[in-house]
Amino acid sequence: MSLFAVFSVCTVAKDAAGVAGNLFAFGLFVSPIPTFRRIIRNGSTEMFSGLPYIYSLLNCLICMWYGTPLISADNLLVTTVNSIGAVFQFVYIILFLMYAEKSKKVRMIVLLVAVLGVFAIILVGSLEIADIQMRRIFVGFLSCASLISMFASPLFIIKLVIQTKSVEFMPFYLSLSTFLMSTSFFLYGLFNDDAFIYAPNGIGTVLGVTQLILYFYYENKSRDSSREPLIVSYV
């Protein structure tokens, strides 16, 4: 097989993985909808926290900026998925602000302004770096650190599942979407030879597999327990 043919196959495979990653990411972006239906129905944010949406917004903005041609070449699908993600997070934050009590609302506004300020500093600061390779490394490390932190956040849920021996707080489809999205972008990064993409998504893939294994393990244990008779007869 010629080098041109190999390059063509890798390009097609990379684009396919990127498109798949965009589709699977959509599953993650819509996962908070049931929560916001409850918030709207009850007219209150209750005990829900708005911090995950603030943090996700910052992550999407940094990764979106990394995918632009000004920072890295041929990463359009990284820009698209994170642009869509940023829009979703903005909508969730606005809805949260509409129904939050005053103290939560003030805190969320302060954090939102802080996130936009941090992103503005990253954007302007990276453009001040004349060397395009150094600019890519600077933003790449920030996006990589942000993604790793995001993928590490389910460690608390994993610990909770092991302690409680219950998958109640680890929705299956959310874990599955995380695994599929991470795997897709891991392959995308490999085909594009971009360590800032495949390294954090490789970690995300491992954590996704861990969540799925735990889910099936404790789900099966729960089913086995439910089959046991509630009254044991010794007659």
Side-chain angles (χ1 to χ4, degrees):
M1 186 180 289
S2 66
L3 288 176
F4 177 76
V6 171
F7 176 77
S8 299
V9 170
C10 286
T11 301
V12 171
K14 181 201 73 174
D15 291 341
V19 170
N22 275 249
L23 294 174
F24 294 135
F26 190 79
L28 287 176
F29 297 149
V30 300
S31 62
I33 287 178
T35 297
F36 281 92
R37 280 180 178 169
R38 174 174 169 175
I39 288 173
I40 293 169
R41 184 175 64 249
N42 296 338
S44 169
T45 58
E46 302 175 41
M47 297 300 292
F48 292 110
S49 172
L51 292 179
Y53 312 109
I54 291 286
Y55 183 75
S56 294
L57 174 62
L58 179 60
N59 176 69
C60 286
L61 290 174
I62 295 174
C63 294
M64 177 189 70
W65 180 232
Y66 176 75
T68 62
L70 288 171
I71 305 298
S72 62
D74 200 22
N75 270 326
L76 178 62
L77 290 170
V78 172
T79 301
T80 57
V81 68
N82 286 287
S83 299
I84 295 169
V87 171
F88 269 97
Q89 304 314 314
F90 265 120
V91 172
Y92 292 144
I93 289 168
I94 290 169
L95 287 172
F96 195 91
L97 288 172
M98 287 173 60
Y99 293 96
E101 58 188 38
K102 187 176 180 180
S103 58
K104 275 188 178 181
K105 193 174 294 187
V106 170
R107 185 185 181 194
M108 284 286 289
I109 291 172
V110 170
L111 289 172
L112 179 59
V113 171
V115 162
L116 295 177
V118 168
F119 177 64
I121 291 170
I122 292 171
L123 191 149
V124 174
S126 59
L127 289 176
E128 290 295 316
I129 303 174
D131 187 332
I132 186 65
Q133 188 61 25
M134 288 302 299
R135 184 189 304 169
R136 176 178 171 275
I137 291 172
F138 170 68
V139 180
F141 269 117
L142 290 175
S143 67
C144 191
S146 179
L147 276 170
I148 290 173
S149 299
M150 186 185 74
F151 286 135
S153 60
L155 288 173
F156 170 76
I157 301 298
I158 290 173
K159 180 182 177 183
L160 187 63
V161 169
I162 294 172
Q163 287 178 337
T164 61
K165 295 180 173 54
S166 169
V167 294
E168 179 184 357
F169 302 103
M170 191 172 69
F172 172 72
Y173 288 109
L174 185 59
S175 299
L176 181 63
S177 295
T178 300
F179 166 70
L180 292 174
M181 185 199 71
S182 301
T183 303
S184 297
F185 277 106
F186 170 68
L187 294 173
Y188 176 89
L190 282 179
F191 287 125
N192 206 30
D193 193 25
D194 193 328
F196 293 124
I197 296 176
Y198 69 70
N201 282 287
I203 294 172
T205 299
V206 172
L207 288 173
V209 170
T210 303
Q211 289 182 68
L212 290 174
I213 290 172
L214 285 173
Y215 183 90
F216 286 115
Y217 177 73
Y218 285 110
E219 178 69 8
N220 289 334
K221 286 194 72 172
S222 298
R223 288 178 183 174
D224 291 340
S225 297
S226 66
R227 292 194 190 104
E228 293 178 2
L230 295 179
I231 301 175
V232 180
S233 173
Y234 293 96
V235 178

